[in-house]
Amino acid sequence: MTNQADTSTVDDRGGAPAPPEKISAVPVRHPGRWVAAAVLLVLAAMLVHSLLTNPNWKWAVVGQYLFAPRVLHGMLLTIELTALAMAIGIVGGVIVAVMRLSPNPIVSGIAWLYAWFFRGTPVLVQVIFWSFIAALYPYLSLGIPFGTEFVYFDSNKLVPIFVGVVLGFGLNEVAYMSEIVRAGILSVDRGQTEAAEALGMTRTKIMRRIILPQAMRVIIPPTGNETISMLKTTSLAAVVAVGELFTTVQLIYGSNYQQIPLLVVASLWYLVLTSVLSVFQYYIERHYARGTVPLRARGFRFGRAQGGLS
Amino acid sequence: MNPMVKAEGVHKNFGRLEVLKGIDLEVQPGEVMCVIGPSGSGKSTFLRCINHLEKIDAGRLWVDGELVGYRQKGDKLYELRDHEVARKRREIGMVFQRFNLFPHMTAVENVMEAPVQVKRESRAEVRERALALLDQVGLADKANAYPNQLSGGQQQRVAIARALAMRPKLMLFDEPTSALDPELVGDVLAVMRKLAEDGMTMVVVTHEMGFAREVGDSLVFMDGGVVVEKGHPRDVITSPRHERTQSFLAKVL
Ligand SMILES: Nc1ncnc2c1ncn2[C@@H]1O[C@H](COP(=O)(O)OP(=O)(O)OP(=O)(O)O)[C@@H](O)[C@H]1O
Ligand SMILES: [Mg+2]
């Protein structure tokens, strides 16, 4: 392409068609969007104003407790509970999902029964139940079923309250994760299994190397949801007094009656944690998007929608 | 020498639908057999029986002298275990109409997957071989591309390289060019032709009559779950003996 100053005369000289003129049309206006944005901005300003000027929020108290060691310790427990419960949920979910898809009707039936039971009863009941499992089975033993026992455990030592809570949340999560994983597995084209089978791969290998990595794209977004939801659901552990974040602030405002500021403290930390999780999720999603989207390096952005006002 | 594939009265039903109604065929080592026939005649099903992606309901099927899917002791048949079936499939390459490349792996990773994961060969060695195979199918420069960055013809050639990486003694092709734009068909057929010249035993379900005539050693016409006619491609194409073959050829030629 020539780049001379007199491009407008190309036609006269060579008979070649002039390069098409760049379009400069008036873009479509969206007055509705502007009105909506203005209304929302005013509302947001009112909210911020009230947060800052209403003395009942007691920001000084919030500041005082935000980094209090007790609160931070509670938050740590919340993170531990969430991480452990989700670890159980994901590993167990994959196992139950694979069982559910098994050609053996007994295996798939048991998997179905599991999901039916754990999704059908409230998680709060399950958590309390597991925390008090020691009352139900004071001893646990290993041995031949209905026969000789070799090893005995004292359940109170084996299942302290914290473990009970983790089990309660974890086993419940297995039921939900199994459905998520199953949907992911079913989303992978049948031809993938056939191609892998034709290459001589075994069932487990195919699942691990071919199916699950592709299912991940479908599995991860709802798993992110589950994790964020678990983070907040762990606050239910307050009923059995495991000292996670919510229990801790309840204990504090139980003695100093500063309910509002302490609930703000808890909410702020929950928000921080969920935000961190969202960033994690973004990078995991990008990892598993290999080969499905044109490789384009893009940083993390809150709110992924494109487009703007105009 | 054993025939590479031998079928005796092979039957296959899907529920109450009888798809294969007694197939008798032999493919000799080094032979390129092309299979043609109308849609639904059971071509794909027969091909899939050969590497036991489908179980046969009656008859016998051997690959290189070994029974497919079963072990025979006396006159009793024992079903093979999953990993035994898998081991036998390693010696048979298969190429699908819809490529079925693994989308989460690059071209070279696709080719390396089975030798590394299934045969436990060393990565470095396999990688070298994989790159050589990609070069052989004309895709040396696409080794690091993901399948969705490749054209259909390129994907199919990667799929052929992937199957060859296992050093199979038999290659099965199920309409390898039917999903391709016409201008991409030639590249894939050229790779298959080269493979045939190198002495690979191939069973090719195809509608490419030119390929069947020039590369095929034998041509089989299937219809309604049976082999209607088998012979040298030139004879079958130019002077078909059966009426059904004649009317089918009249439509595709
Ligand atoms: N898994 C299956 N379950 C039930 N029916 C099947 C299954 N696979 C194939 N069939 C049926 O078996 C018959 C033969 O199918 P097959 O795919 O072998 O035909 P084909 O000759 O390859 O046809 P095409 O040229 O369309 O590929 C068809 O009627 C098909 O509907
Ligand atoms: Mg077919």
Side-chain angles (χ1 to χ4, degrees):
Chain A
M1 181 111 68
T2 52
N3 195 14
Q4 295 158 342
D6 55 346
T7 39
S8 56
T9 60
V10 162
D11 252 1
D12 310 339
R13 284 187 288 129
E21 199 182 327
K22 206 163 175 247
I23 292 177
S24 61
V26 180
V28 178
R29 305 288 177 198
H30 298 283
R33 287 188 195 172
W34 282 102
V35 174
V39 170
L40 289 175
L41 272 178
V42 169
L43 287 175
M46 285 165 66
L47 180 67
V48 170
H49 181 255
S50 121
L51 281 177
L52 292 179
T53 55
N54 185 339
N56 292 333
W57 287 102
K58 297 191 187 154
W59 290 104
V61 184
V62 171
Q64 182 191 338
Y65 281 103
L66 196 53
F67 296 102
R70 282 177 77 188
V71 170
L72 292 182
H73 181 256
M75 185 176 72
L76 206 66
L77 263 178
T78 291
I79 295 174
E80 276 177 34
L81 264 181
T82 307
L84 289 172
M86 283 311 294
I88 293 176
I90 291 170
V91 172
V94 171
I95 294 172
V96 173
V98 171
M99 283 172 65
R100 183 76 194 277
L101 295 168
S102 157
N104 181 334
I106 295 178
V107 173
S108 71
I110 287 174
W112 180 86
L113 214 64
Y114 183 96
W116 171 78
F117 180 80
F118 280 89
R119 286 200 304 177
T121 51
V123 63
L124 185 54
V125 174
Q126 291 172 34
V127 167
I128 299 175
F129 182 86
W130 280 103
S131 309
F132 297 134
I133 190 83
L136 199 56
Y137 293 101
Y139 297 103
L140 292 177
S141 60
L142 281 181
I144 300 164
F146 311 111
T148 326
E149 296 172 341
F150 302 130
V151 199
Y152 298 86
F153 297 106
D154 180 346
S155 305
N156 268 314
K157 287 191 194 125
L158 193 69
V159 192
I161 299 262
F162 180 77
V163 176
V165 171
V166 167
L167 278 180
F169 285 126
L171 295 180
N172 181 262
E173 189 57 31
V174 166
Y176 288 92
M177 281 307 301
S178 75
E179 285 298 287
I180 291 172
V181 173
R182 191 168 70 99
I185 291 175
L186 290 177
S187 76
V188 178
D189 181 43
R190 170 92 197 115
Q192 292 290 307
T193 310
E194 292 198 339
E197 278 177 341
L199 285 168
M201 296 174 85
T202 52
R203 251 175 69 87
T204 21
K205 242 291 122 89
I206 295 173
M207 191 50 84
R208 203 164 56 75
R209 296 282 312 171
I210 308 297
I211 308 295
L212 284 179
Q214 293 183 56
M216 280 301 186
R217 258 178 357 101
V218 175
I219 292 174
I220 285 166
T223 303
N225 258 346
E226 289 292 310
T227 312
I228 285 170
S229 147
M230 177 64 77
L231 192 74
K232 294 171 295 174
T233 311
T234 52
S235 61
L236 290 178
V239 293
V240 286
V242 165
E244 42 63 65
L245 183 54
F246 187 59
T247 314
T248 307
V249 301
Q250 273 187 320
L251 285 175
I252 297 175
Y253 69 62
S255 58
N256 70 4
Y257 303 106
Q258 303 281 9
Q259 283 91 338
I260 302 281
L262 277 155
L263 289 174
V264 168
V265 166
S267 304
L268 283 176
W269 278 124
Y270 281 120
L271 276 173
V272 167
L273 293 177
T274 49
S275 309
V276 170
L277 281 175
S278 306
V279 176
F280 262 119
Q281 182 179 343
Y282 170 80
Y283 283 103
I284 297 175
E285 269 179 30
R286 204 177 60 166
H287 174 77
Y288 282 105
R290 263 174 317 163
T292 58
V293 286
L295 301 172
R296 219 179 326 128
R298 248 198 312 147
F300 176 81
R301 293 167 60 219
F302 282 98
R304 222 151 311 145
Q306 297 283 343
L309 297 163
S310 69
Chain B
M1 195 158 39
N2 282 322
M4 188 56 82
V5 180
K6 182 172 175 186
E8 264 182 24
V10 168
H11 282 257
K12 172 71 195 174
N13 312 321
F14 288 113
R16 288 164 65 199
L17 179 69
E18 199 177 7
V19 176
L20 298 181
K21 302 172 183 165
I23 304 277
D24 298 290
L25 272 180
E26 268 187 34
V27 185
Q28 301 306 325
E31 179 178 344
V32 176
M33 176 189 277
C34 293
V35 182
I36 57 172
S39 180
S41 56
K43 308 179 297 291
S44 300
T45 305
F46 177 63
L47 215 55
R48 294 157 54 81
C49 287
I50 295 177
N51 66 358
H52 208 49
L53 284 176
E54 305 285 357
K55 231 187 220 169
I56 65 175
D57 294 304
R60 290 281 192 278
L61 191 53
W62 292 266
V63 169
D64 202 15
E66 289 184 44
L67 215 48
V68 173
Y70 303 92
R71 195 182 316 106
Q72 191 158 17
K73 261 192 201 157
D75 51 1
K76 245 198 174 148
L77 285 187
Y78 296 88
E79 245 179 68
L80 292 185
R81 294 170 182 286
D82 262 0
H83 68 266
E84 291 171 310
V85 173
R87 188 163 336 116
K88 295 211 171 170
R89 284 195 187 122
R90 286 165 207 174
E91 306 178 326
I92 306 173
M94 184 155 189
V95 175
F96 300 85
Q97 185 174 356
R98 286 173 46 242
F99 330 135
N100 295 346
L101 287 182
F102 305 133
H104 57 303
M105 301 179 188
T106 60
V108 68
E109 286 168 352
N110 264 279
V111 179
M112 291 169 64
E113 179 68 9
V116 171
Q117 291 298 323
V118 174
K119 284 192 176 168
R120 302 244 153 252
E121 296 180 54
S122 98
R123 276 195 86 80
E125 231 170 81
V126 173
R127 193 179 167 79
E128 220 166 275
R129 194 162 89 225
L131 291 173
L133 279 167
L134 285 175
D135 188 33
Q136 208 176 306
V137 298
L139 292 172
D141 54 331
K142 297 288 184 189
N144 293 316
Y146 282 97
N148 73 341
Q149 298 166 318
L150 298 174
S151 75
Q154 292 170 333
Q155 289 190 51
Q156 193 61 297
R157 284 182 280 152
V158 174
I160 294 174
R162 177 175 70 176
L164 291 176
M166 291 296 277
R167 306 189 207 269
K169 52 189 179 191
L170 168 66
M171 286 284 287
L172 309 174
F173 293 84
D174 191 359
E175 302 198 33
T177 57
S178 321
L180 298 179
D181 291 340
E183 75 269 23
L184 302 176
V185 169
D187 292 336
V188 173
L189 290 182
V191 168
M192 292 169 59
R193 179 188 297 254
K194 180 76 180 25
L195 202 55
E197 283 165 6
D198 292 346
M200 177 63 77
T201 314
M202 298 163 55
V203 181
V204 186
V205 175
T206 185
H207 294 302
E208 295 291 331
M209 299 312 290
F211 178 86
R213 183 174 7 217
E214 290 161 31
V215 182
D217 298 307
S218 56
L219 181 61
V220 168
F221 173 67
M222 275 180 73
D223 193 10
V226 295
V227 173
V228 175
E229 188 159 349
K230 179 184 173 183
H232 193 277
R234 212 174 319 110
D235 301 338
V236 177
I237 292 173
T238 50
S239 50
R241 276 167 296 153
H242 286 80
E243 206 184 311
R244 279 193 280 176
T245 320
Q246 287 164 9
S247 66
F248 177 77
L249 286 173
K251 272 181 245 156
V252 296
L253 283 177

